[in-house]
Amino acid sequence: MSDTKQRLLDGAIAAIRQHGIAGVSARTIAAAAGVNQALVFYHYGSMDELLAAACRASTAERVEHWSARLAGVGSLRELLAVGRALHEQERELGNVSFLAQMLAGAQADERLAAPTAGALQLWVDEIEGVLGRLLAGSPFAEIADVAGLARAVSAAFIGLELYDGVDRAAAEQAMSALDQLAMLIEIVDDLGPIARRALQAKVNRAVRRD
């Protein structure tokens, strides 16, 4: 990738962080990148293409950054601890806010919908792998939609970023509630074999009824 194209990607991310999706333009991106705004269209063809490329590149870089730490997670509570650290760091860097702005823009511009969903899917895939590994052998594995749960977790962290901006105490309370849920699941997983078999039988009956 040429230096100018990379500067435009960085400029697009910086402009959205500063102005929001509603205030971003070729002019604000070019100003953040320190280049002529005509280069936006020369290198990317349109604003939408540049924003889509910036979203993909930014998200892929952050997923790669956290991948090793997520791979080392050994429990749901550890996953939430990593999630807390991820939330704090990405909030400080403005990365979750950037993705949230792209999602907001996709509501009004369908050309941003597919690339933004594709970028979010990078997080979903990473988290789905961790959840699948952690829930393997658990009674909850019989009823858990791991792919759906991974999407819910990813969406929750973006929502918490927005919630954090208006009521940080409430956002922290939501995180604590998730921690309590993870603890409950771990307690169930630590039950003895007789209790686990009884629980598994109840789960199986519930699944058959559904």
Side-chain angles (χ1 to χ4, degrees), residues 46-117:
S46 70
M47 279 281 297
D48 289 333
E49 288 297 321
L50 172 54
L51 293 177
C55 189
R56 286 192 299 267
S58 172
T59 306
E61 191 274 331
R62 299 316 297 168
V63 171
E64 183 178 2
H65 174 82
W66 287 97
S67 181
R69 192 164 174 186
L70 287 167
V73 164
S75 69
L76 289 174
R77 296 187 75 189
E78 286 181 32
L79 177 58
L80 280 173
V82 172
R84 283 178 178 272
L86 186 154
H87 173 69
E88 288 297 321
Q89 184 174 335
E90 298 303 305
R91 181 175 60 83
E92 291 297 322
L93 293 172
N95 292 325
V96 180
S97 176
F98 168 73
L99 189 53
Q101 286 292 321
M102 289 295 297
L103 286 166
Q107 304 301 310
D109 186 348
E110 64 180 17
R111 291 170 295 185
L112 294 178
T116 304

Side-chain angles (χ1 to χ4, degrees), residues 125-198:
D125 290 342
E126 192 74 20
I127 295 169
E128 183 178 349
V130 178
L131 289 174
R133 174 170 56 81
L134 295 179
L135 291 174
S138 166
F140 296 101
E142 295 289 331
I143 57 173
D145 176 1
V146 176
L149 186 57
R151 288 185 172 87
V153 169
S154 300
F157 272 93
I158 293 172
L160 282 171
E161 163 67 18
L162 301 176
Y163 202 4
D164 204 35
V166 296
D167 192 340
R168 191 162 193 181
E172 176 59 30
Q173 185 180 19
M175 289 289 290
S176 297
L178 290 174
D179 190 56
Q180 292 168 355
L181 179 60
M183 181 172 61
L184 177 61
I185 292 174
E186 288 184 10
I187 290 172
V188 170
D189 283 343
D190 287 340
L191 292 173
I194 295 176
R196 281 177 62 91
R197 283 198 296 272

